[in-house]
Amino acid sequence: MARAALTNARGFRRYAAASCVIVIALSLAPFIAQARRVVHATHAARPDLPHPRAVPYPALDWPFEINGGQYAPLGWADIAGWNQDDHLAAYKAFRISCSPIAAQSTPPSDPKALGTSLREPCRLARAADISDDARARAFFEEHFLPLRISRLGEADGFVTGYYEPVIDGSRTQTDVYNVPVYRRPSNLFVRGFSQASVGLPNKGQVFRKIGRRKLVPYYDRAAIEDGAIAGRGLEICWLKNQTDLLFSQIQGSARVRLEDGSTIRINYDAHNGYPYTPVGRILIDRGIIPKEEMSMQRIREWMNQNPDGANELRRQNQAYVFFREVQLSDKDEAVGAQGVPLTPGRSIAVDKSLHVYGTPFFIEGELPIESEQSKTPFRRLMVAQDTGSAITGPARADIYFGAGADAGRVSGRLRNSARFVIFVPKSLDPVARGRKMPTPDPRPSEKIAKLFPQVDPLKDQPKDQKNDIKPPEASVAGSSKNTAGAAPAAAHPSAPQAVAAITVPLPVARPDIKPDRDMRRIRYHRRSRIGR
């Protein structure tokens, strides 16, 4: 009975409190309506008064941002060599990239700066029938905006070159061909990808499964070369030496010429999870090859002349690449990470984490293309169609030069600075978006500023008083005491502008006395009764 009475009393108090709230809300409703009518009447009588600003601000399209990069708008006339380029060749390369872009029926939200903005220019490029240079140039000028881009705080970017090696090999292991080219192992796992995924990412962690649950880092290069995965039927073909395999892994693809005259085409498929270490950088740091003489040809020459040193140097790069065999003829170019055939002299590899495949880049610089010491003018519109683990940054590109020894010689000596211009679809115009950005509220008028002056409590005070004044956060207890005991000094007209904080002694530390057993029992008993 007592419990029922207590429950009824609690319920009655709740209903009484709710009734009071409802009565107060109903009594204030006429005043709120009257205030709204006054505001509307005031704005109707005084249309010159500014309307209250909506909060929060309306959702606007912010200018895109490239992490770690800076960009500035350019005019087409400001791009050196733009008028002299082969725009039709660039347009054809761009149109090849548009095939996978247009094939995306419902593309996911892309966190990169350009996002899915290339879909509209690609749709127009696939619908247009352009066969002359003038119309190709007009297409880019009509649908894109040029922006000078570079790493934050730097003026230029950096370019290197890559190619598709052509090497000798065999389908079976022999005394001459005894270096295996491995396909992706079945016990290699990358989070977010299944075994059926084609072309795993070239960065990030890679694991090896032990038993049912345990995951450990995958084997490094030394362990794989020593036979950690040998005898499992993973061999695609066999090469003459580890140097041929290393350069094929660096380039990401290769053409393997068999003894019967046929060719095997292999492309990148996965890696073992270790970061790429440039062997050329190690040779420079050790003083073996001068920096100005560094090239892939010099590295290969040194490895051929120093087989023992080559084994040690190669294992300094723990990264290892696995390949897949692709069905391409000898006339077909290598396929990039976008999934389209690369165009020699027009395709570039970029940082996949920053840029979108299919983005046009205009690169201008003086590169050693004709010879090692030459400064050949290079001013050409390129298309991002590939990526690489060593390609990082907003203005960093690897230029594809084709297949064979000649392409290898040109790309092997390319390590130069260059200027980058990114072509952005007009739907992302940063200047137009900047005009719509919300601005701060206007400053108060001079009359309001005089009525409510901003006072600096430390200004115009003697030095001895400045040392005594503490910041507000240092005397919270003192200010609360002053408020409770007497009116603040600032409320009196004759009070000075700055008031010295009153020093309040800290309270004595509370003794750490543990309650005895009987007190704990009483508290527990009270809490249990209240909970009922």
Side-chain angles (χ1 to χ4, degrees):
M1 294 295 291
R3 183 179 299 177
L6 179 60
T7 303
N8 294 336
R10 289 178 179 173
F12 177 76
R13 286 196 297 270
R14 291 174 182 172
Y15 287 127
S19 301
C20 292
V21 172
I22 294 173
V23 170
I24 294 172
L26 292 176
S27 62
L28 292 178
F31 296 98
I32 297 175
Q34 179 65 20
R36 289 179 177 174
R37 286 194 294 268
V38 170
V39 171
H40 289 299
T42 303
H43 281 285
R46 293 287 307 277
D48 56 320
L49 292 177
H51 287 273
R53 198 164 190 175
V55 178
Y57 295 123
L60 299 174
D61 292 330
W62 291 72
F64 67 89
E65 179 181 359
I66 298 176
N67 293 334
Q70 60 187 14
Y71 57 85
L74 287 178
W76 294 104
D78 299 329
I79 305 176
W82 169 247
N83 296 335
Q84 291 75 33
D85 190 20
D86 187 352
H87 304 92
L88 183 59
Y91 171 80
K92 292 179 179 179
F94 173 74
R95 204 167 184 269
I96 293 175
S97 280
C98 287
S99 297
I101 294 175
Q104 298 175 348
S105 57
T106 55
S109 177
D110 202 325
K112 302 183 185 68
L114 262 62
T116 57
S117 61
L118 288 174
R119 296 195 69 198
E120 182 61 19
C122 278
R123 184 185 65 82
L124 298 173
R126 290 171 60 84
D129 184 14
I130 297 178
S131 57
D132 59 273
D133 190 80
R135 292 184 61 191
R137 172 185 168 184
F139 173 84
F140 288 110
E141 293 181 353
E142 182 179 355
H143 302 292
F144 289 92
L145 294 171
L147 301 178
R148 176 79 67 190
I149 185 173
S150 62
R151 190 185 294 271
L152 191 63
E154 300 178 4
D156 297 339
F158 191 73
V159 296
T160 51
Y162 73 113
Y163 73 110
E164 187 180 20
V166 180
I167 52 181
D168 295 329
S170 173
R171 281 286 190 184
T172 58
Q173 183 180 12
T174 64
D175 294 338
V176 177
Y177 302 103
N178 56 7
V179 176
V181 177
Y182 289 121
R183 62 174 52 89
R184 186 203 315 172
S186 59
N187 63 343
L188 185 147
F189 292 91
V190 179
R191 287 194 174 98
F193 294 86
S194 65
Q195 287 294 324
S197 301
V198 177
L200 297 182
N202 56 8
K203 297 179 183 178
Q205 293 181 318
V206 177
F207 300 97
R208 174 170 55 93
K209 191 174 183 180
I210 300 179
R212 289 188 174 183
R213 298 179 180 273
K214 188 175 181 181
L215 294 177
V216 297
Y218 207 79
Y219 301 113
D220 63 358
R221 175 178 292 275
I224 296 174
E225 289 185 359
D226 290 340
I229 60 175
R232 296 174 52 186
L234 300 174
E235 298 82 3
I236 298 176
C237 58
W238 302 80
L239 306 181
K240 287 183 178 180
N241 52 61
Q242 293 285 356
T243 303
D244 287 341
L245 177 61
L246 174 65
F247 279 90
S248 299
Q249 293 174 330
I250 294 175
Q251 304 306 318
S253 63
R255 304 186 185 196
V256 183
R257 293 180 302 199
L258 302 179
E259 295 174 328
D260 59 1
S262 61
T263 303
I264 300 175
R265 304 291 296 273
I266 55 176
N267 264 30
Y268 170 91
D269 192 37
H271 77 122
N272 63 340
Y274 291 86
Y276 169 72
T277 302
V279 294
R281 172 58 58 186
I282 298 175
L283 293 175
I284 294 175
D285 294 340
R286 293 179 179 178
I288 298 176
I289 299 178
K291 181 179 180 180
E292 58 275 8
E293 298 180 7
M294 178 54 62
S295 66
M296 286 188 291
Q297 286 71 31
R298 287 297 309 272
I299 297 174
R300 181 180 285 274
E301 291 175 2
W302 186 87
M303 285 185 167
N304 292 337
Q305 297 171 3
N306 303 272
D308 294 335
N311 290 335
E312 185 271 335
L313 174 66
R314 190 176 58 253
R315 295 185 178 210
Q316 294 295 318
N317 175 31
Q318 294 180 292
Y320 195 92
V321 170
F322 302 98
F323 292 94
R324 69 177 185 272
E325 185 176 354
V326 292
Q327 302 301 322
L328 296 174
S329 67
D330 293 342
K331 297 180 180 180
D332 297 327
E333 292 291 341
V335 176
Q338 191 187 9
V340 299
L342 302 177
T343 303
R346 293 290 173 179
S347 299
I348 57 174
V350 296
D351 190 343
K352 183 183 177 181
S353 65
L354 299 177
H355 298 300
V356 178
Y357 292 140
T359 303
F361 285 86
F362 193 88
I363 298 178
E364 47 176 311
E366 288 71 38
L367 308 181
I369 294 179
E370 297 179 358
S371 64
E372 293 185 1
Q373 305 300 327
S374 66
K375 294 184 178 180
T376 306
F378 188 91
R379 298 178 176 90
R380 192 173 296 181
L381 182 59
M382 319 291 288
V383 182
Q385 296 174 333
D386 205 355
T387 188
S389 58
I391 312 301
T392 58
R396 174 73 172 91
D398 211 8
I399 302 175
Y400 176 70
F401 283 95
D406 293 338
R409 281 189 288 270
V410 175
S411 60
R413 55 177 178 254
L414 219 66
R415 296 180 58 86
N416 299 80
S417 299
R419 293 166 293 280
F420 281 68
V421 178
I422 183 174
F423 283 19
V424 177
K426 286 193 173 181
S427 60
L428 298 180
D429 185 358
V431 177
R433 289 190 171 196
R435 296 192 185 101
K436 299 178 181 179
M437 294 300 297
T439 57
D441 293 329
R443 296 183 61 181
S445 64
E446 185 177 356
K447 181 178 180 180
I448 297 298
K450 289 181 179 179
L451 292 175
F452 302 95
Q454 301 295 319
V455 179
D456 185 359
L458 298 180
K459 189 177 181 181
D460 299 332
Q461 292 294 323
K463 293 183 179 180
D464 54 349
Q465 293 186 15
K466 287 183 179 180
N467 296 333
D468 295 337
I469 298 177
K470 296 182 179 180
E473 60 272 14
S475 58
V476 175
S479 63
S480 61
K481 272 196 172 184
N482 184 32
T483 303
H492 300 281
S494 59
Q497 294 291 342
V499 181
I502 300 175
T503 304
V504 179
L506 295 175
V508 181
R510 183 178 179 180
D512 188 10
I513 301 176
K514 297 182 179 180
D516 56 14
R517 194 168 184 177
D518 295 336
M519 291 298 296
R520 289 200 298 269
R521 287 179 177 176
I522 293 172
R523 291 177 182 175
Y524 176 77
H525 182 65
R526 288 177 179 175
R527 287 197 299 268
S528 63
R529 290 191 63 184
I530 293 173
R532 294 176 186 175

